[in-house]
């Protein structure tokens, strides 16, 4: 069932149970941003009637990257609603809008992403007319296939697709007479118990709490314990942790580490290790940005909390929806005007929220950002008089025109958090870099491009303006720095801070740990130090110091890159590499019929290589084979 059956009542679900139905399969999501608004209510009513519940995602992807994004959309629904990892999940594979794709690899990418969130119970819904039927069945095996095929007259004496797990034999069934819902429903027969290989009526996880620790569905490998330092032990463990109080997200397992976000009471996280250090227990998890983050779940000694310090009551109501902004709104790390501003939403932007928070007469919306942290935006204020002061401060007219395209930079350009030269600089684009923008903004005779960063905030780059002297002031700060465009992979031998610029005094924006790797795009030498530059998920350039003295030699591509842009369609399976070399690491493959948009070409090892910027922010290379 899907949203078009949203008018079904509890009585209708009870009638399904009475008629002998055992399982309801509910549509959760579609594509990268759609969620069935009735899914949660449908699943809960089915459980209440004594019915097993599975979920399905309607797939539209035609590439592995798109498959990962769609899986993340489904996982977001599951995690947000505390859906058990035992629940059976179907990929609805019937969209044939794209041809000549590697459907097996794409669907496996979808499954791998769900696996990373702990959801490993998979099945495929398809039909005999689907173009890539056999390719998608291969990912789970025939016994876990739910196939749609409709005979003219269904009959118990004429069963089809008996080697599959289940067969959907009609889409025009009706509920018994007298039911509240009178529309059509799909009906299926289960041959081997596939659709009941789920969580039964325990679709939603119920957790038990003690000493501020709430866990569920945990697996632990106690044999794989490694000492990371004299006072720190990391144990391989995985599972879901539900927070019983607001908890800071740290870049390392230390109270003094940088705070990169906040989890709120009732949120869940899927962790991959348990770290014990100085008598404290931390959980480690992989964030959307690709960095390891840490949350403390037990302190070394009891510390008395001070509820008296906060006299206002905070009420969090779990509800979901889409909010469209009517004015410029700051993104905060917590429910407070004084909290750090992490980004900005602008008039006309939308956000999908997962809770509504009320505090001090103000209303905030909470949502899950790509970094894995909860962010907050205020939509109403107790003090209404404050809104009258803002229009007076801005006398110039700002015109935002919604349009999309790709822009290639011809010089060094600062990334800003708003359309203002004096706004905080969040990163840098360099000559030859490209950005995909979603709007063009004109203000004070200047033209800016707006784009959505992976952090969920809008960022801006100025491409023309009345003030053209801004770049000259920056050159004085970097006069001693030499930047050489090089590419390669660097493996860290120790914990290394990630900086916003090639300077020890620059802001620390994250951490790499021993054994981590980064794909860099340039080497910067300044003040006797050597730094590697790379493009982060936010679209900003980040820096890591690899030597404190004279420049050291690191593996890189000595080949010259020629600036060129275009699109290439592959005629055969082709390896994706980290550098323009047959000796470089293989990080993926393109298949016949798939296309890549490249930004440069390199001649090396007897091949013409195409250079492009991958979703990870690293430059990748593919040999052009005609």
């Amino acid at each position: 069932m899907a949203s078009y059956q949203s008018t079904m009542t509890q009585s209708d679900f009870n009638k399904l149970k009475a008629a002998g139905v055992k399982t309801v399969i509910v549509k959760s999501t579609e594509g990268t941003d759609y969620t069935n608004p009735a899914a949660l209510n449908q699943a809960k009513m089915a459980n209440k009637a004594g019915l097993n519940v599975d979920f399905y995602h309607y797939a539209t992807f035609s590439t592995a990257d798109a498959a990962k994004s769609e899986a993340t959309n489904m996982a977001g629904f599951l995690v947000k609603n505390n859906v058990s990892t035992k629940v059976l999940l179907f990929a609805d594979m019937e969209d044939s809008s794209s041809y000549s794709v590697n459907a097996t690899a794409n669907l496996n990418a979808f499954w791998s992403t769900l696996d990373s969130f702990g959801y490993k119970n998979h099945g495929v819904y398809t039909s005999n007319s689907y173009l890539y039927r056999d390719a998608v069945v291969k990912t789970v095996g025939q016994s876990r296939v739910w196939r749609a095929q409709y005979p003219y007259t269904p009959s118990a004496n004429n069963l089809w697709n008996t080697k599959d797990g289940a067969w959907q034999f009609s889409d025009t069934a009706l509920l018994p007479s007298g039911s509240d819902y009178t529309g059509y429903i799909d009906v299926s027969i289960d041959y081997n118990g596939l659709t009941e290989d789920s969580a039964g009526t325990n679709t939603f996880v119920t957790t038990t709490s003690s000493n501020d620790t709430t866990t569920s569905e945990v697996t632990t490998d106690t044999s794989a314990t490694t000492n990371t330092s004299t006072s720190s032990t990391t144990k391989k463990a995985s599972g879901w942790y539900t927070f019983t109080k607001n908890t800071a997200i740290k870049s390392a397992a230390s109270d003094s580490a940088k705070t990169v976000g906040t989890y709120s009471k009732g949120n869940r996280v899927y962790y991959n290790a348990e770290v014990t250090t100085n008598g404290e227990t931390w959980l480690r998890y992989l964030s959307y940005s690709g960095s390891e983050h840490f949350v403390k779940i037990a302190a070394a000694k009891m510390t008395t909390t001070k509820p008296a310090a906060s006299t206002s009551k905070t009420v969090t109501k779990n509800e979901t929806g889409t909010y469209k902004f009517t004015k410029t709104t700051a993104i905060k790390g917590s429910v407070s005007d004084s909290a750090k501003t992490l980004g900005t939403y602008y008039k006309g932007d939308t956000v999908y929220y997962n809770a509504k928070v009320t505090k001090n007469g103000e209303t905030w919306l909470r949502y899950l950002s790509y970094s894995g942290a909860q962010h907050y935006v205020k939509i109403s204020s107790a003090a209404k008089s404050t809104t009258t002061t803002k229009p007076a401060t801005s006398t110039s007219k700002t015109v935002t025109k919604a349009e999309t395209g790709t822009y290639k930079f011809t010089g060094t350009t600062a990334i800003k958090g708003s359309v203002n030269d004096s706004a905080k600089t969040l990163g840098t684009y360099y000559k030859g870099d490209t950005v995909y923008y979603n709007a063009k903004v004109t203000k004070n005779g200047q033209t800016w491009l707006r784009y959505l960063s992976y952090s969920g905030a809008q960022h801006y780059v100025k491409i023309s303006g009345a003030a053209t002297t801004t770049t000259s002031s920056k050159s004085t700060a970097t006069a001693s720095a030499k930047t050489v465009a090089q590419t390669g992979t660097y493996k860290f031998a120790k914990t290394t801070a990630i900086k916003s610029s090639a300077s020890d005094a620059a802001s620390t924006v994250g951490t790499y740990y021993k054994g981590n790797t980064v794909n860099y795009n340039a080497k910067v030498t300044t003040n006797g130090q050597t730094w590697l530059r790379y493009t982060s998920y936010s679209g900003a350039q980040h820096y890591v110091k690899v030597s404190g003295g004279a420049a050291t030699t690191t593996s890189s591509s000595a080949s010259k890159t020629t600036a060129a842009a275009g699109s290439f369609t592959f005629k055969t399976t082709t390896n994706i590499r980290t550098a323009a070399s047959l000796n470089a690491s293989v990080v993926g493959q393109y298949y016949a019929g798939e296309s890549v948009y490249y930004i440069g070409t390199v001649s090396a090892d007897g091949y013409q290589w195409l250079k492009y910027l991958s979703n990870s922010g690293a430059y990748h290379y593919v040999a052009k084979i005609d």
Side-chain angles (χ1 to χ4, degrees):
M1 59 178 50
S3 59
Y4 64 89
Q5 284 124 344
S6 60
T7 57
M8 284 181 65
T9 63
Q10 184 64 59
S11 175
D12 292 333
F13 282 92
N14 294 343
K15 284 184 172 64
L16 286 177
K17 176 67 174 178
V21 171
K22 294 183 178 181
T23 299
V24 171
I25 307 175
V26 179
K27 179 176 182 177
S28 61
T29 44
E30 178 178 335
T32 58
D33 55 9
Y34 173 80
T35 299
N36 172 14
L40 191 60
N41 192 42
Q42 289 170 328
K44 288 184 176 180
M45 284 194 291
N47 278 171
K48 189 174 181 180
L51 296 163
N52 181 61
V53 171
D54 304 332
F55 288 104
Y56 76 89
H57 170 86
Y58 187 92
T60 63
F61 52 78
S62 58
T63 67
D65 284 342
K68 293 174 185 177
S69 296
E70 293 196 22
T72 301
N73 182 32
M74 186 181 201
F77 167 84
L78 301 170
V79 173
K80 176 179 61 182
N81 293 304
N82 294 326
V83 174
S84 168
T85 54
K86 295 179 182 178
V87 166
L88 175 61
L89 307 177
F90 284 100
D92 183 345
M93 307 301 294
E94 56 180 290
D95 188 317
S96 294
S97 57
S98 299
Y99 293 91
S100 301
V101 302
N102 191 310
T104 301
N106 294 343
L107 185 52
N108 279 332
F110 181 84
W111 295 139
S112 296
T113 303
L114 285 177
D115 286 348
S116 70
F117 285 91
Y119 293 94
K120 301 179 181 180
N121 193 6
H122 308 151
V124 166
Y125 173 88
T126 190
S127 68
N128 286 335
S129 61
Y130 178 56
L131 182 64
Y132 307 110
R133 177 196 63 204
D134 295 338
V136 298
V137 169
K138 189 187 303 182
T139 68
V140 294
Q142 190 171 3
S143 66
R144 301 192 69 78
V145 172
W146 171 30
R147 195 183 305 258
Q149 189 179 16
Y150 307 139
Y152 289 109
T153 307
S155 168
N157 298 321
N158 184 26
L159 300 180
W160 294 3
N161 304 305
T162 55
K163 292 183 180 180
D164 292 331
W167 169 40
Q168 182 176 302
F169 59 83
S170 176
D171 61 354
T172 56
L174 296 171
L175 286 170
S177 178
S179 299
D180 295 316
Y181 178 74
T182 58
Y184 290 136
I185 57 174
D186 300 335
V187 284
S188 304
I189 182 170
D190 187 326
Y191 290 124
N192 63 8
L194 169 64
T195 62
E196 294 177 78
D197 176 23
S198 200
T201 57
N202 298 315
T203 302
F204 303 98
V205 176
T206 55
T207 56
T208 56
S209 176
S210 62
N211 297 327
D212 285 337
T213 301
T214 306
T215 59
S216 61
E217 306 171 67
V218 180
T219 58
T220 305
D221 180 6
T222 55
S223 63
T225 302
T226 56
N227 289 323
T228 57
S229 68
T230 56
S231 61
S232 181
T233 302
T234 301
K235 181 172 63 177
K236 287 185 179 179
S238 62
W240 288 102
Y241 178 82
T242 304
F243 294 90
T244 58
K245 60 182 180 181
N246 292 348
T247 303
I249 303 170
K250 297 287 188 175
S251 59
S254 169
D255 288 322
S256 60
K258 182 181 179 182
T259 299
V260 293
T262 306
Y263 275 108
S264 302
K265 181 179 179 180
N267 291 160
R268 292 204 304 162
V269 66
Y270 188 79
Y271 60 92
N272 56 39
E274 192 172 287
V275 181
T276 304
T277 178
N278 298 325
E280 297 178 328
T281 303
W282 298 72
L283 298 179
R284 187 186 74 193
Y285 71 94
L286 188 67
S287 74
Y288 282 90
S289 69
S291 300
E292 299 282 3
H293 288 172
F294 299 81
V295 285
K296 185 167 68 173
I297 60 171
K301 53 186 178 180
M302 295 295 292
T303 56
T304 56
T305 57
K306 300 178 180 180
S310 177
T311 57
S312 62
K313 184 179 180 182
T314 302
V315 178
T316 301
K317 183 179 180 183
N318 289 325
E319 60 178 82
T320 60
T322 301
Y323 179 80
K324 187 173 183 178
F325 293 89
T326 57
K327 61 180 180 180
T328 301
T329 305
I331 302 170
K332 298 287 187 175
S334 62
V335 185
S336 172
D337 289 321
S338 60
K340 182 180 179 182
T341 298
L342 307 175
T344 308
Y345 277 107
Y346 293 87
K347 183 178 179 179
D349 292 342
T350 58
V351 65
Y352 185 83
Y353 59 91
N354 56 44
K356 190 174 285 186
V357 184
T358 306
K359 183 180 181 182
N360 294 330
E362 298 176 330
T363 302
W364 299 70
L365 299 179
R366 187 186 75 194
Y367 70 95
L368 188 66
S369 74
Y370 278 90
S371 69
Q374 299 286 356
H375 288 174
Y376 300 83
V377 285
K378 186 168 67 173
I379 59 171
S380 73
S381 176
K384 295 183 179 179
S385 60
T386 58
T387 58
T388 59
T389 60
K390 287 191 175 181
T393 61
S394 178
T395 56
S396 61
K397 184 178 180 182
T398 301
V399 178
T400 302
K401 183 181 179 183
E403 61 177 82
T404 60
T406 302
Y407 179 81
K408 186 173 182 180
F409 293 90
T410 57
T412 302
T413 305
I415 301 170
K416 299 286 187 175
S418 62
V419 185
N420 193 326
D421 288 320
S422 61
K424 182 180 178 181
T425 299
L426 306 174
T428 309
Y429 276 109
Y430 293 87
K431 183 179 179 179
D433 290 344
T434 58
V435 65
Y436 185 82
Y437 59 91
N438 56 43
K440 190 175 285 186
V441 184
T442 305
K443 183 179 180 181
N444 294 330
Q446 299 174 335
T447 302
W448 299 71
L449 299 180
R450 186 186 76 190
Y451 70 95
L452 187 66
S453 75
Y454 278 86
S455 68
Q458 300 286 356
H459 288 174
Y460 298 83
V461 284
K462 185 170 69 173
I463 58 171
S464 73
T468 57
T469 59
T470 54
T471 56
S472 62
S473 63
K474 290 189 177 183
S475 63
T476 58
T478 58
S480 62
K482 180 182 179 182
T483 301
V484 178
Q486 293 184 0
T487 60
T489 302
Y490 180 81
K491 187 173 183 179
F492 293 89
K494 61 180 181 180
T495 301
T496 305
I498 303 170
K499 297 287 188 175
S500 58
S501 62
S503 169
D504 290 321
S507 300
T508 299
V509 294
T511 308
Y512 277 107
Y513 297 89
K514 182 178 179 180
N516 291 161
T517 58
V518 65
N519 294 313
Y520 58 91
N521 55 46
K523 186 186 291 182
V524 182
T525 306
T526 178
N527 298 325
Q529 298 175 332
T530 302
W531 299 73
L532 300 179
R533 186 188 79 195
Y534 70 96
T535 305
S536 73
Y537 276 89
S538 67
Q541 300 288 356
H542 287 172
Y543 299 80
V544 285
K545 186 168 67 173
V546 295
S547 78
T552 58
T553 57
T554 59
S555 62
S556 62
S557 172
S559 304
K560 184 178 180 181
T561 301
T562 302
S567 178
F568 178 76
T569 301
F570 294 89
K571 298 178 178 62
T572 185
T573 301
T574 306
N575 288 330
I576 303 169
R577 297 184 182 271
T578 56
S581 168
L582 295 175
N583 295 322
S585 299
V586 175
V587 293
Q589 290 178 319
Y590 275 106
Y591 296 91
E594 293 187 309
S595 299
V596 64
Y597 183 82
Y598 59 90
I599 60 174
T601 61
V602 181
S603 295
D605 286 357
Y607 287 95
Q608 187 79 355
W609 298 80
L610 305 178
K611 175 183 176 182
Y612 71 96
L613 189 66
S614 73
N615 283 353
S616 68
Y619 287 110
H620 286 171
Y621 299 80
V622 285
K624 184 178 180 182
I625 303 174
D626 294 318

